Amino acid sequence: MATDSRKRGPYRKTEARRREIIAAALTVFSTSGYRTGSLKDIGALIGIDPSTILHHFPTKEALLEAVLEDKDSVDVQGLPPLDTLAPAEIPTTLLALAAKNHEVPGVIALYAILSAESTTAGHPSADYFRTRTAHTRAEFRSAFQRLADAGLLADGVSVEYAALSTFALWDGAQIHWLIEPEAVSVIDTLRTHLESITLVKLQ
Amino acid sequence: MATQVPPPTPGKRRGAYAKTEEKKLAILDAALEVFSQSGYRKGSLRDVASRVGMSEAGLLHHFPNKSALLAAVLDHRDDHSLKIVKLEPYAGRETLEGLVFLAGYNATIPGVVELYCVLSAEATSPAHPAHQYFINRYNYIRGSITQAFVAMAARSELREGVDPGSAARSTIALMDGLQVQWLLDRESVDMAEELRVYLSSLTVEPL
């Protein structure tokens, strides 16, 4: 049964519905992944028919795109502007981001599952994650370059290694934390690593 | 990566039982191939069955459903990894060398790495059939690698201030994180080398 509220209802109402669908899609995609997470599951969460979802988003892929571009997720996942910080503040800022991520396991799960799923053939967000990964790696590289220039990288640690290992360690620890929250602390893992590769003292 | 306690070595078996075991192993090999190539969700039981010349019903006689088959594939795969990495208690440095070797070996089997990465991310959801498997697996690997670091610490082979438990957690996180990075960009990530540099930052003698 297709409702026609989009035409009659005020814009505000449509916007509220869109947000509701995006939030439900985030919940479903972050637990079942994109491929298995169905429009039916998403609709069921908020008591609407899948066809209603398609009034707001032309395809499932468009919905995924909206979820990834949603402000809540973008805020969480984006690195803070590291290049405006003093080099010595960079490690602390990364830890603060990890602490913030700790509050939103759903969004972290979404990124973890989608980035892994996107490595498989024909995934709609493959480009998104490839670009995002390259971008994040470049940001890490330039941040650690600035630490190196300030003489704050530990002996024998290269900028390339610092960037790649921090990024990978962080991603891996997040997956382990999602699987077993009591056994793994992303923040502690990251702190230990940053303490060993930089000369910056951390709390 | 490796995991789980290896099953007792099968003794010589005769008759129908041995045949069943043989058939099971053939199914597991076929399933690993299918899941690695098509992914767990897309890989079909029919595909697996046809590779070993069976019907789907025949396959279901050995494994009640797809997720049971998946669990068996993972266990089987772990047995294989265990032949590469020595995870027995107190192996120490050999364990670390095995992990580096395994990371290099994994770079030759992208399909399997992909299966593993996607599954572990999917399995973060408690409702996923492999959720408990991954918890057990992390516990086992974490325990084994911690013991290797403990043994090394006792022989003064670790740098000052390295905590075996936290080093083990980081090692596993790094290995898994590197796999995703590598899948996304195989040219610029050398998993074995990154791991070697990392482990060398913990040990007195570099690996």
Side-chain angles (χ1 to χ4, degrees):
Chain A
M1 181 196 74
T3 59
D4 210 16
S5 64
R6 195 165 56 117
K7 280 174 194 156
R8 280 185 320 221
Y11 173 77
R12 197 157 40 90
K13 224 177 188 174
T14 305
E15 190 47 33
R17 187 29 64 92
R18 270 179 63 94
R19 305 241 10 112
E20 204 184 4
I21 295 170
I22 288 175
L26 192 149
T27 305
V28 169
F29 290 156
S30 66
T31 47
S32 309
Y34 170 74
R35 290 209 164 109
T36 314
S38 68
L39 292 181
K40 205 172 150 202
D41 294 340
I42 295 167
L45 265 188
I46 47 176
I48 61 174
D49 197 81
S51 63
T52 308
I53 298 178
L54 295 173
H55 275 285
H56 296 269
F57 303 92
T59 59
K60 188 179 170 192
E61 218 174 299
L63 176 57
L64 173 65
E65 215 167 281
V67 170
L68 288 173
E69 280 165 8
D70 188 56
K71 190 180 156 296
D72 292 346
S73 359
V74 171
D75 274 1
V76 166
Q77 272 299 313
L79 285 173
L82 297 172
D83 52 349
T84 60
L85 297 171
E89 289 171 345
I90 292 172
T92 325
T93 307
L94 294 176
L95 283 182
L97 177 62
K100 203 170 124 195
N101 286 354
H102 194 266
E103 305 302 317
V104 284
V107 178
I108 301 308
L110 176 79
Y111 277 85
I113 196 165
L114 288 180
S115 67
E117 204 181 52
S118 77
T119 64
T120 60
H123 197 279
S125 45
D127 278 345
Y128 173 88
F129 279 101
R130 210 168 288 126
T131 309
R132 176 172 166 271
T133 301
H135 180 72
T136 308
R137 198 181 294 154
E139 280 193 82
F140 271 115
R141 213 179 279 128
S142 96
F144 282 107
Q145 183 62 57
R146 293 180 58 234
L147 278 158
D149 294 344
L152 289 172
L153 275 196
D155 244 19
V157 172
S158 73
V159 169
E160 195 59 35
Y161 167 74
L164 186 59
S165 64
T166 303
F167 191 5
L169 189 86
W170 195 337
D171 267 1
Q174 276 183 341
I175 293 198
H176 298 164
W177 167 65
L178 290 167
I179 288 180
E180 224 186 338
E182 298 82 30
V184 175
S185 160
V186 179
I187 304 166
D188 288 349
T189 304
L190 193 59
R191 183 190 298 115
T192 307
H193 185 62
L194 290 171
E195 271 174 345
S196 85
I197 61 172
T198 74
L199 302 175
V200 179
K201 282 269 161 279
L202 293 164
Q203 294 291 346
Chain B
M1 276 204 45
T3 148
Q4 300 242 11
V5 188
T9 321
K12 279 214 165 168
R13 289 175 184 138
R14 270 159 293 155
Y17 184 66
K19 262 194 191 139
T20 306
E21 282 298 287
E22 234 170 75
K23 199 81 204 174
K24 271 192 159 179
L25 283 177
I27 295 171
L28 293 177
D29 285 337
L32 178 62
E33 262 177 50
V34 168
F35 290 158
S36 304
Q37 282 164 15
S38 319
Y40 167 67
R41 307 236 190 237
K42 279 198 172 167
S44 72
L45 291 182
R46 184 175 311 165
D47 248 13
V48 177
S50 81
R51 282 190 194 221
V52 288
M54 292 175 91
S55 67
E56 204 176 322
L59 189 149
L60 289 171
H61 171 71
H62 295 275
F63 300 95
N65 52 45
K66 198 174 171 188
S67 59
L69 176 60
L70 172 67
V73 166
L74 293 173
D75 280 343
H76 180 52
R77 163 95 201 115
D78 291 340
D79 294 342
H80 183 69
S81 299
L82 274 172
K83 289 181 191 141
I84 296 177
V85 185
K86 281 185 198 292
L87 281 182
E88 61 258 37
Y90 308 110
R93 192 181 169 88
E94 274 175 79
T95 303
L96 306 190
E97 279 164 353
L99 291 175
V100 173
F101 184 84
L102 183 63
Y105 170 72
N106 281 342
T108 67
I109 45 167
V112 176
V113 175
E114 195 177 284
L115 172 68
Y116 174 77
C117 277
V118 177
L119 271 181
S120 64
E122 282 177 0
T124 58
S125 159
H128 194 277
H131 183 72
Q132 190 57 44
Y133 164 84
F134 276 98
I135 291 182
N136 297 346
R137 177 176 213 271
Y138 286 132
N139 279 326
Y140 176 69
I141 302 175
R142 191 155 54 225
S144 308
I145 299 180
T146 301
Q147 283 192 337
F149 281 126
V150 166
M152 292 182 76
R155 296 193 284 260
S156 307
E157 291 170 10
L158 287 191
R159 293 200 195 181
E160 222 184 286
V162 172
D163 172 69
S166 116
R169 268 188 283 271
S170 297
T171 302
I172 303 168
L174 183 70
M175 287 185 81
D176 280 2
L178 281 172
Q179 290 187 343
V180 180
Q181 305 275 317
W182 174 73
L183 287 172
L184 286 167
D185 185 1
R186 295 188 198 170
E187 298 308 308
S188 69
V189 178
D190 180 340
M191 297 191 284
E193 178 58 14
E194 296 300 330
L195 182 64
R196 195 191 59 73
V197 173
Y198 171 70
L199 291 172
S200 297
S201 77
L202 307 173
T203 58
V204 174
E205 293 287 327
L207 284 175

